[in-house]
DNA sequence: CAGTGTGAAGTTGTTCACAGCA
DNA sequence: TGCTGTGAACAACTTCACACTG
């Protein structure tokens, strides 16, 4: 990843602070969210190509696999700092590493989930997030019937125990899968307990201090697009 | 929903084909996908307000709840054909009905799911899609160990049985939660079996005839955004 | 000559500004 | 005054065009 930096060492000495190269601008400037959203698809595909023994891949060919514009792929990859060779493309193994690094998929983030209902249960059951560097290690609820049980090996605790456990385990991510009426309250607690990022599935805006990251995900969004198309295609 | 059409009947007689009203243009013109994605959040919130006995709601107040620009909300609601009264807002009950109609959430879509792994299992477990008008009625796999079992009451059949069952039950939606290597193959089968819309969770572009709707959903996209922010906020 | 890299053009979606209304 | 409704300005993202490279 730093070959790149050394390549441009000479220029940097000439004109120090202003005018960094395009590549660097890309790396430090805000990366468009749509680009970040596409990156996991690149990564999954690359892992597959790698397991098939493919060494090189060009942006246009990635583009065909994913039905994306070829230059879009080139630009997206540039955001990560990757660079390829004309006529050949990118080195699959390098690209995988760069993407994992960029996305933070190679870290071990541990998460607590609050609200052990159907949605919470589904997220826990779906072990796939581990491949992306996040592991749900415990769930919390206030329903006495759920407390003490476990979901696919993940224990469900009383919400009151969150604080103590989160502090001891250095938990960074909190997942909210409660009804929206209690989402803000849970978020406040999470912030107080030192959580750094909140993944909120309740369809409500959550207010947090600016140093805490919030990602809202509305589970019905994709379904809405399909059903709406079905509705209007008749 | 058709009160609206009758309201404008007079104008329509005057200048028939060209120059429809703004409202109608909105309804027939392509509705931006981001707008459709926001609509389920409106709906969920409105249902909640309704259960609290609230009769009217204004766009600006919806906007505060969801942290969206107020005029965005007005425009989104206009796409559905809803209209409100200045100073008062929209009638909650009407808005719910209009949104459900527009999104197709008040229909009973039955879906078959292929690929009964963790992701497939999680989607089945999560019963919440029923609230949005979609019910997963059966799962299919080629793994003999899974065939014959059931997940939260949803039976897992041999993939070979899909065709017969899909035809008899008038299934409209097919969900693909297989590895991407078999996704295209499954999609081809689904198309041949009369499925009208495919919800694809494999990170690969699927080719289908133009009359079939495809919605690609990449499960890691949202997580990628969070982890990336975590990574770059340090 | 197939592919990277990048500025410019084009498109889409969002936010602003303001007219009209009760 | 607080709200709907809408055209216009603005910002973000995507696609195009093309110079450059091995």
């Amino acid at each position: 990843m730093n070959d790149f930096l050394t390549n441009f060492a000479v220029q940097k000495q000439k004109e120090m602070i202003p005018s960094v190269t395009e590549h660097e601008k890309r790396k430090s400037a805000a990366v468009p969210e749509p680009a970040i959203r596409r990156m996991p698809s690149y990564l999954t595909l690359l892992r597959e190509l790698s397991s098939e023994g493919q060494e090189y891949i060009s942006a246009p060919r990635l583009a065909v696999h994913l039905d994306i514009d070829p230059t879009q792929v080139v630009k997206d990859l540039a955001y990560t700092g990757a660079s390829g060779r004309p006529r050949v493309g990118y080195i699959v193994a390098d690209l995988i590493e760069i993407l994992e690094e960029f996305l933070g998929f190679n870290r071990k983030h541990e998460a607590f989930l609050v609200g052990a209902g159907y949605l919470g249960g589904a997220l826990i059951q779906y072990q796939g997030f581990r491949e992306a560097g996040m592991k749900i290690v415990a769930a919390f609820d206030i329903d006495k019937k759920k407390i003490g049980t476990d979901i696919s090996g993940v224990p469900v605790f009383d919400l009151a125990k969150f604080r103590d456990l989160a502090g001891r385990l250095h938990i960074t991510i909190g997942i909210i899968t409660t009804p929206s009426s209690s989402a803000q309250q849970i978020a406040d607690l999470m912030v107080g307990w030192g959580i750094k990022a909140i993944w909120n599935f309740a369809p409500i805006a959550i207010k947090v201090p600016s140093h805490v990251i919030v990602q809202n995900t509305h589970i019905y969004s994709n379904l809405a697009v399909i059903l709406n198309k079905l509705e209007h295609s008749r």
Side-chain angles (χ1 to χ4, degrees), chain A residues 56-74:
Chain A
Y56 292 88
I57 185 76
S58 71
R61 281 209 278 150
L62 278 175
V64 168
H65 276 109
L66 298 169
D67 195 26
I68 299 178
D69 183 279
T71 39
Q72 184 81 266
V73 177
V74 173

Side-chain angles (χ1 to χ4, degrees), chain A residues 33-46:
Chain A
E33 208 177 286
I36 295 173
R37 296 183 163 276
R38 282 186 293 269
M39 287 178 190
S41 324
Y42 299 144
L43 184 53
T44 314
L45 187 52
L46 288 165

Side-chain angles (χ1 to χ4, degrees), chain A residues 2-74:
Chain A
N2 276 34
D3 309 347
F4 160 75
L5 282 174
T6 43
N7 285 347
F8 289 92
V10 183
Q11 277 125 300
K12 280 182 85 179
Q13 277 168 16
K14 274 195 257 173
E15 33 179 38
M16 262 327 226
I17 283 88
S19 169
V20 282
T21 67
E22 261 310 307
H23 251 108
E24 282 190 54
K25 245 191 275 171
R26 285 266 154 70
K27 274 176 71 179
S28 47
V31 178
E33 208 177 286
I36 295 173
R37 296 183 163 276
R38 282 186 293 269
M39 287 178 190
S41 324
Y42 299 144
L43 184 53
T44 314
L45 187 52
L46 288 165
R47 281 174 177 162
E48 207 163 314
L49 292 172
S50 171
S51 77
E52 288 165 10
Q54 199 168 326
E55 275 191 77
Y56 292 88
I57 185 76
S58 71
R61 281 209 278 150
L62 278 175
V64 168
H65 276 109
L66 298 169
D67 195 26
I68 299 178
D69 183 279
T71 39
Q72 184 81 266
V73 177
V74 173

Side-chain angles (χ1 to χ4, degrees), chain A residues 114-170:
Chain A
V114 178
Y118 284 125
L119 178 55
L123 291 176
I124 292 168
Q125 270 241 327
Y126 173 56
Q127 321 259 341
F129 291 128
R130 294 181 187 195
E131 263 180 63
M134 190 191 76
K135 190 175 165 192
I136 300 172
V137 293
F140 297 84
D141 210 296
I142 49 165
D143 182 345
K144 298 263 186 266
K145 273 182 240 130
K146 287 172 190 157
I147 295 165
T149 64
D150 77 295
I151 302 167
S152 313
V154 174
V156 180
F157 296 115
D158 189 318
L159 183 58
K161 289 199 181 155
F162 192 112
R163 174 174 216 158
D164 181 42
L165 287 168
R168 279 198 281 151
L169 296 174
H170 293 70

Side-chain angles (χ1 to χ4, degrees), chain A residues 82-101:
Chain A
S83 70
R85 292 226 315 272
R87 181 111 178 117
V88 182
Y90 304 80
I91 300 168
V92 174
D94 289 5
L95 214 42
I96 291 175
E97 208 176 316
I98 290 172
L99 277 167
E100 284 178 345
E101 170 80 15

